[in-house]
Structure formats: C-alpha cells, structure tokens
Amino acid sequence: EIVASIEEALSKNDFESIVHFAHTLSDSSLNIGAIALSQIALLLEQKAKNKNPQGVASMLEPLKLQLDLTISAFRKVLETL
C-alpha cells in the first residue's frame, strides 16, 4: 500500500521516495477525478520536497482518511454497475 511505503520512507528520512510516491498518487488521483485526494498528495509532495518530516507526518492521517473515502466512493459506484 502506498501509505505504508510513505511511512517506511519517512522512517528513513527518504524524502526522494516520498516525493515520488506522493507525485504518483497525486497524478493518478487527478486522472480518475479524485480531486481532494490529489490535493492532499500534492501538499504531501511539497512538504517532502522541503524535507519537512513533521509536515510529511502531519499529512499521513488526512491522506489515509481521504484515500479510504475515495476507495469507498468508488466501491459504491461499482456496486451500482
């Protein structure tokens, strides 16, 4: 899971990997119309580019919450098909 990968990278202060994961998530989310998730991932990416461990850590809960909401919303849509 991408959040676990970000958490692992944060534990190693591997900001380059966090930037990569966050950028990928932001772009992918935008492509499927998950704007809120994309915006959170973009903020996370910016904090990682600034090598701000506290900032990155502060984005993990909002990221998890929005990711769960997005997945739930897509599951509901799929159930109607």
Side-chain angles (χ1 to χ4, degrees):
E1 176 179 314
I2 196 160
V3 175
S5 297
I6 292 169
E7 289 173 329
E8 181 178 342
L10 180 59
S11 74
K12 299 175 182 176
N13 286 324
D14 182 0
F15 295 104
E16 186 176 320
S17 290
I18 297 168
V19 168
H20 171 75
F21 293 134
H23 182 80
T24 300
L25 181 58
S26 178
D27 282 355
S28 298
S29 300
L30 199 55
N31 286 337
I32 61 169
I35 306 300
L37 181 58
S38 178
Q39 290 173 336
I40 291 171
L42 182 61
L43 287 171
L44 174 63
E45 180 182 356
Q46 291 169 346
K47 291 179 186 301
K49 282 182 179 178
N50 291 332
K51 299 184 184 330
N52 179 346
Q54 292 83 10
V56 170
S58 74
M59 296 304 300
L60 292 177
E61 262 327 294
L63 179 67
K64 290 176 191 176
L65 176 63
Q66 193 58 50
L67 186 58
D68 287 345
L69 290 171
T70 301
I71 290 169
S72 179
F74 273 95
R75 283 189 178 137
K76 286 180 183 176
V77 168
L78 290 173
E79 289 172 3
T80 66
L81 299 179

